[in-house]
Amino acid sequence: MKHMIMIRTMTIMKTVDILKAMDITEQLANEIGFLPRDCLFLRLATEEACTNAYEYCQKTGRLPFRIFWKIDTSQFTIIVKQRGGCFSVAKTDNVNTGARGRGLQLIAHIVDEVFVKRTGNNVLLCMCKCKKNE
């Protein structure tokens, strides 16, 4: 079987675009065979990543930002690309009871791999979910 790769992209300029991105994530995850629970969680990861990027970019005057979906036969990758400073993501079981700051932890527990990568003036938040063979 040939190793197919499909890439889709979208520019996020307004909060309504985040809702569209969530719909696209859920639709793509469903189309490639993720279980409904995983589709919902991937939708949630998209919401958290895009909301974080939107709030940062809006506050710093760096809107718009972009989201990419990359699908191959075994993995679904969602990438949020924004201009700005780098940050880190580490999976931990410590509970954050503060008013904010749980989104990246939530993402780390939803996907199989999450990492942040700087490329020039851009920061990429990469979230990868492997497709399990049933």
Side-chain angles (χ1 to χ4, degrees):
M1 177 187 268
K2 195 173 181 182
H3 197 68
M4 179 197 84
I5 295 179
M6 179 183 81
I7 296 179
R8 188 162 174 184
T9 184
M10 179 181 174
T11 299
I12 307 287
M13 298 177 69
K14 300 178 254 181
T15 54
V16 69
D17 296 330
I18 295 172
L19 296 173
K20 290 177 190 169
M22 292 165 58
D23 289 343
I24 291 169
T25 295
E26 188 172 16
Q27 174 192 356
L28 291 173
N30 185 52
E31 285 176 11
I32 60 174
F34 279 101
L35 296 173
R37 177 180 184 268
D38 289 329
C39 294
L40 178 64
F41 282 136
L42 288 166
R43 179 183 176 91
L44 180 59
T46 300
E47 178 183 19
E48 288 295 333
C50 287
T51 299
N52 286 348
Y54 182 82
E55 289 175 355
Y56 174 80
C57 291
Q58 185 181 45
K59 184 172 60 175
T60 59
R62 295 182 171 151
L63 282 171
F65 65 93
R66 295 186 64 77
I67 182 169
F68 301 83
W69 296 269
K70 179 181 165 193
I71 300 166
D72 64 29
T73 54
S74 63
Q75 186 169 276
F76 184 27
T77 304
I78 304 164
I79 302 167
V80 174
K81 179 182 178 182
Q82 69 186 63
R83 291 177 287 156
C86 205
F87 55 92
S88 63
V89 180
K91 188 173 182 178
T92 179
D93 289 328
N94 295 336
V95 177
N96 176 353
T97 57
R100 300 192 45 97
R102 289 179 296 278
L104 291 174
Q105 277 303 304
L106 184 64
I107 291 168
H109 284 274
I110 288 173
V111 298
D112 296 315
E113 181 183 12
V114 61
F115 59 94
V116 178
K117 180 176 163 183
R118 175 173 278 298
T119 59
N121 293 329
N122 297 305
V123 175
L124 307 177
L125 172 63
C126 303
M127 303 168 283
C128 307
K129 182 78 173 167
C130 295
K131 191 162 177 261
K132 311 281 190 273
N133 292 331
E134 259 62 58

